[in-house]
Amino acid sequence: MLEKIIEFIAPDECIICQKEGACMCNECAIAVLKYKKPACLFCNELNLDGRVCKRCRAKNHIYKSTIAYRYGGASKELINLMKYQGRRSVARYLAKGLPQADLDDKTMITFVPSDGATRRKRGFDQAELIAKHYAKTQQIKCANLLARSSHERQVGKSRKSRIENVKGNFVALKTITGKRIILIDDVVTTGATVSECASVLKSAGAKRIEVLAVAKK
Ligand SMILES: [Zn+2]
Ligand SMILES: [Zn+2]
């Protein structure tokens, strides 16, 4: 609601040509946004459907990835506008640019949660916001499946459990036996974070994990 009021007072304008309406107009989007070709998320070997190649599959639990844009230039500007200037409406725009997922009743949409400090500073979690907008367009609910594991609550634990805890940055919030998970993030860099999330989701019972992200470096 508040977001709507703010947008009414200060409508979005295209970051390239300043036309009022959205944070990027269709003409500029076609001209400046660079689409990412399907490839293995980890070794970048091009393929037809974004599947993780056999070699990389041996090392992690992600089945495939779909990345909308190449990170840099205009896509980077949009992401920065959302992240560092708090423009939530950009999340909706970026979610609209994500490709349709073929959904069935075993599919769940979730996101890579930001850490608490970043979230507090920003006032929102950008990946969650994108995932929520995206889920809405796909007419399903976005599920809260992951949380950052707290490294502060270490005091008083045995050394062994402390080490186990530090090993992972994420914990699963529910069991998801047999589910196909679409894991959403804004920017993927090396794939280490989504890979870590995927291991946690796998241990929570997920059958297949697919990454859907706005951009990749
Ligand atoms: Zn424009
Ligand atoms: Zn690979």
Side-chain angles (χ1 to χ4, degrees):
M1 188 61 192
L2 188 65
E3 185 191 344
K4 290 220 169 77
I5 294 167
I6 291 166
E7 275 177 21
F8 183 71
I9 300 164
D12 273 328
E13 54 179 42
C14 173
I15 60 164
I16 309 290
C17 71
Q18 280 80 47
K19 188 164 93 182
E20 264 185 29
C23 53
M24 186 162 307
C25 74
N26 291 338
E27 289 78 16
C28 290
I30 292 165
V32 298
L33 285 174
K34 301 213 167 33
Y35 296 95
K36 187 107 170 68
K37 291 191 180 113
C40 169
L41 185 70
F42 299 97
C43 68
N44 279 316
E45 192 176 80
L46 294 179
N47 57 33
L48 293 174
D49 59 2
R51 243 178 250 203
V52 172
C53 77
K54 264 192 187 147
R55 263 167 295 128
C56 299
R57 273 281 288 291
K59 286 176 251 165
N60 71 76
H61 295 292
I62 294 166
Y63 177 74
K64 67 177 269 188
S65 70
T66 309
I67 315 284
Y69 311 113
R70 266 162 52 198
Y71 185 73
S75 70
K76 186 177 170 182
E77 266 185 63
L78 284 173
I79 287 162
N80 285 350
L81 187 63
M82 167 182 68
K83 272 176 146 166
Y84 306 114
Q85 293 178 48
R87 285 288 278 277
R88 292 166 192 245
S89 56
V90 177
R92 192 172 52 228
Y93 177 84
L94 295 173
K96 262 197 281 179
L98 294 175
Q100 288 270 121
D102 47 334
L103 302 170
D104 55 34
D105 56 1
K106 287 206 165 75
T107 305
M108 295 174 98
I109 291 176
T110 194
F111 57 94
V112 177
S114 305
D115 65 73
T118 310
R119 195 194 182 107
R120 277 192 295 278
K121 206 167 106 193
R122 227 165 257 164
F124 63 94
D125 182 329
Q126 76 277 355
E128 179 181 13
L129 211 52
I130 293 169
K132 278 187 171 161
H133 283 304
Y134 181 74
K136 212 175 193 179
T137 66
Q138 306 296 307
Q139 294 171 336
I140 66 167
K141 264 193 176 168
C142 172
N144 255 338
L145 300 181
L146 294 162
R148 290 270 173 175
S149 52
S150 168
H151 292 176
E152 291 109 346
R153 286 187 235 127
Q154 297 286 316
V155 194
K157 281 193 176 164
S158 72
R159 184 161 183 274
K160 188 168 171 279
S161 73
R162 209 152 58 212
I163 289 164
E164 271 169 9
N165 196 8
V166 171
K167 226 167 36 184
N169 291 305
F170 299 94
V171 287
L173 297 174
K174 37 181 100 115
T175 41
I176 40 175
T177 311
K179 298 285 186 187
R180 166 185 171 230
I181 308 296
I182 296 177
L183 177 63
I184 293 184
D185 205 358
D186 54 342
V187 184
V188 175
T189 33
T190 59
T193 306
V194 285
S195 181
E196 204 186 321
C197 289
S199 310
V200 171
L201 292 167
K202 192 79 191 175
S203 338
K207 192 173 170 210
R208 186 200 275 192
I209 299 123
E210 297 172 26
V211 168
L212 182 57
V214 172
K216 185 170 186 287
K217 287 186 184 171

